[in-house]
Amino acid sequence: MAEILVLVDHVDGEVKKVTFELLTLARAHGEAAAVWIGPGYEGAKDKLAEYGAAKVYVAADEELTSYVVAPKAELLAQLVADKSPAAVLVPATGEGKEIAGRLAVKIDSGVLTDVVGLADDFVGEHSIFGGAIVSHAKVSKGTPIVAVRPNSTAPEASPSTPEEEQVSVSLSDAAKGTHVVEKVVQEKGERPELTEAAIVVSGGRGVGGADNFKLIEDLADSLGAAVGASRAATDAGWYPHSFQVGQTGKTVSPQLYVAVGISGAIQHRAGMQTSKTIVAINKDSEAPIFELVDYGVVGDLFQVAPQLTEEIKKR
Ligand code: FAD
């Protein structure tokens, strides 16, 4: 079976959920070969095995992460030349997309970005017009490089015993152009990261102001959830843009999504409609979000949300 390279997304050895999604997708089309770049592999190897990596290429040289992005593209280009994989999957994150573009230039191939599904023959599915239409595209020459949107595939465990191979690359001068001076400073609060959380509680325009977001945070904390927001709320400056859910924000697919004071515009749905269970609190029984929900509460969020928080805290 043809190998499919999967670039592991990790921060200091902590593997991001999108990696398990990519491994799941790769397994559906061939043999998943994870590519680990940087230190920390030993602590993470069990996770890659749990999600079915048949092979892991380990490039542990710290130099690869001492420069911004380019070394990762050079390493992947070398692996493509040496191993002739059927495709390369990367996460459609800021870094993943930049690596994909650089890699495509190096191997004279093409990139599909923001893919939400992969059909046979590496035909990428894209969700456009806020999820109303799915378009299909295919790389027409070289090894396809596919940047997959986080949370678009359900990760499925499939334990394996991966073969490991140490790999390295001799970096070009160009790859050493931009030195990392400071590591990513993660905004690490008590709450789970939005795209990784099992439960997300989001607030919208109905919340009515920045201070009122405390209601959303309290409800989220009672559930151990991440906080999200609609674009109306982030554009108004009530909550940071990095928490926006939707077409132009983050895509989430938690076990439980609670939409509070959110109407359910198509652009918001695009970022949360694959959540397993959806609950909405909205005072307008005609709000479009109710077409989508598993459970809906028609009521004033200023009454319903605090009561819900209290009840959950009692349990
Ligand atoms: P509204 O649509 O104004 O809805 C507020 C809701 O709160 C109403 O349903 C109302 O009944 C309810 N409400 C009011 N008061 C209360 C109360 N006291 N108790 C209970 N309910 C109450 N939007 C996104 O969210 N994410 C995106 O990524 C995004 N990308 C976009 C990209 C483009 C190109 C465009 C054109 C738009 C995009 N939008 C996005 C904006 C989107 O179209 C909507 O305008 C936005 O989602 C509306 O946010 P909202 O539901 O919070 O506000």
Side-chain angles (χ1 to χ4, degrees):
M1 225 191 317
E3 253 182 26
I4 297 173
L5 298 184
V6 169
L7 179 63
V8 176
D9 190 1
H10 69 98
V11 177
D12 292 336
E14 192 188 318
V15 185
K16 296 281 185 183
K17 186 168 139 240
V18 66
T19 304
F20 310 133
E21 297 162 13
L22 296 184
L23 288 171
T24 304
L25 207 53
R27 286 199 331 261
H29 297 273
E31 203 168 72
V35 181
W36 180 279
I37 302 179
Y41 171 64
E42 281 307 311
K45 61 195 288 186
D46 289 351
K47 278 292 192 187
L48 301 180
E50 187 183 335
Y51 284 88
K55 187 151 194 179
V56 186
Y57 294 111
V58 184
D61 187 352
E62 291 214 25
E63 198 190 26
L64 290 165
T65 46
S66 305
Y67 304 94
V68 177
V69 182
K72 294 182 179 174
E74 289 203 349
L75 181 95
L76 285 172
Q78 185 175 298
L79 280 175
V80 170
D82 292 350
K83 311 290 177 189
S84 305
V88 181
L89 306 189
V90 300
T93 55
E95 186 187 74
K97 286 196 258 191
E98 188 173 344
I99 292 170
R102 286 172 182 263
L103 176 61
V105 172
K106 286 181 190 305
I107 65 172
D108 194 20
S109 172
V111 184
L112 303 175
T113 55
D114 284 317
V115 162
V116 295
L118 206 51
D120 285 351
D121 209 16
F122 302 105
V123 171
E125 294 170 4
H126 297 85
S127 171
I128 58 171
F129 297 123
I133 293 178
V134 175
S135 74
H136 295 87
K138 189 173 183 303
V139 171
S140 54
K141 71 167 185 178
T143 309
I145 303 161
V146 187
V148 183
R149 265 200 123 173
N151 287 312
S152 54
T153 304
E156 280 170 27
S158 173
S160 63
T161 312
E163 192 187 322
E164 288 171 21
E165 185 176 329
Q166 302 294 324
V167 290
S168 62
V169 67
S170 162
L171 294 180
S172 69
D173 286 344
K176 297 179 183 173
T178 317
H179 209 289
V180 175
V181 286
E182 194 184 3
K183 275 263 179 115
V184 177
V185 183
Q186 289 272 78
E187 265 185 55
K188 261 222 149 84
E190 299 291 298
R191 299 190 187 101
E193 210 267 305
L194 181 56
T195 55
E196 307 253 313
I199 307 177
V200 174
V201 179
S202 288
R205 202 194 308 270
V207 174
D211 292 345
N212 297 343
F213 253 81
K214 174 89 173 55
L215 284 180
I216 306 298
E217 292 181 336
D218 287 348
L219 180 54
D221 291 344
S222 72
L223 290 161
V227 172
S230 73
R231 180 156 159 184
T234 58
D235 278 356
W238 300 345
Y239 223 67
H241 277 286
S242 54
F243 292 86
Q244 184 183 312
V245 172
Q247 185 186 327
T248 43
K250 304 254 165 74
T251 303
V252 298
S253 191
Q255 294 298 318
L256 173 64
Y257 186 85
V258 187
V260 186
I262 291 177
S263 62
I266 194 166
Q267 296 89 352
H268 187 79
R269 292 177 184 216
M272 47 64 75
Q273 63 197 356
T274 58
S275 304
K276 305 295 166 296
T277 301
I278 299 172
V279 175
I281 303 170
N282 198 303
K283 68 178 183 185
D284 175 9
S285 63
E286 302 288 315
I289 191 84
F290 286 126
E291 294 162 10
L292 197 67
V293 298
D294 299 284
Y295 302 96
V297 182
V298 179
D300 185 345
L301 70 91
F302 295 100
Q303 289 175 4
V304 178
Q307 283 178 30
L308 197 54
T309 305
E310 280 315 304
E311 284 302 316
I312 293 165
K313 277 188 184 163
K314 282 184 202 159
R315 295 180 184 212

